[in-house]
């Protein structure tokens, strides 16, 4: 399972990625809303862990744009 973590606090994002990787998941991090949206739109992820307060584009806008563009990947906010 491929999981995208979108979190602007780098230490927290990296810790979550490590925990997921240790649990045998494939995980990547994006550190702002715009790069998180680009990654989410790639279609490479089975789930997205999405912070609400992000620089550039907040998590609500990211989730809205994902749905608007037809991406149905589950999102945990």
């Amino acid at each position: 399972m491929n999981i995208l973590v979108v979190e602007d606090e780098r230490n927290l994002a990296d810790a979550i990625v490590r925990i997921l990787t240790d649990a045998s998941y494939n995980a990547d991090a994006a550190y702002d809303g715009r790069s998180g949206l680009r990654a989410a739109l790639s279609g490479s992820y089975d789930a997205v862990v999405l912070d609400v307060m992000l620089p550039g584009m907040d998590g609500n806008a990211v989730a809205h744009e994902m749905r608007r563009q037809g991406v149905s990947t589950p999102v945990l906010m």
Side-chain angles (χ1 to χ4, degrees), residues 52-74:
V52 174
M53 296 176 58
L54 294 166
M57 177 182 234
D58 71 36
N60 291 320
V62 171
H64 176 77
E65 186 62 20
M66 286 173 62
R67 296 302 185 248
R68 191 184 76 73
Q69 293 199 33
V71 176
S72 61
T73 305

Side-chain angles (χ1 to χ4, degrees), residues 4-69:
L4 175 63
V5 177
V6 186
E7 168 61 61
D8 61 320
E9 303 261 346
R10 286 182 181 262
N11 290 335
L12 178 56
D14 294 343
I16 295 169
V17 167
R18 264 192 316 279
I19 290 166
L20 291 168
T21 301
D22 289 346
S24 299
Y25 294 99
N26 296 317
D28 297 316
Y31 304 107
D32 63 70
R34 295 197 190 286
S35 62
L37 177 61
R38 277 193 304 276
L41 293 178
S42 73
S44 301
Y45 297 99
D46 302 302
V48 177
V49 177
L50 180 60
D51 186 15
V52 174
M53 296 176 58
L54 294 166
M57 177 182 234
D58 71 36
N60 291 320
V62 171
H64 176 77
E65 186 62 20
M66 286 173 62
R67 296 302 185 248
R68 191 184 76 73
Q69 293 199 33

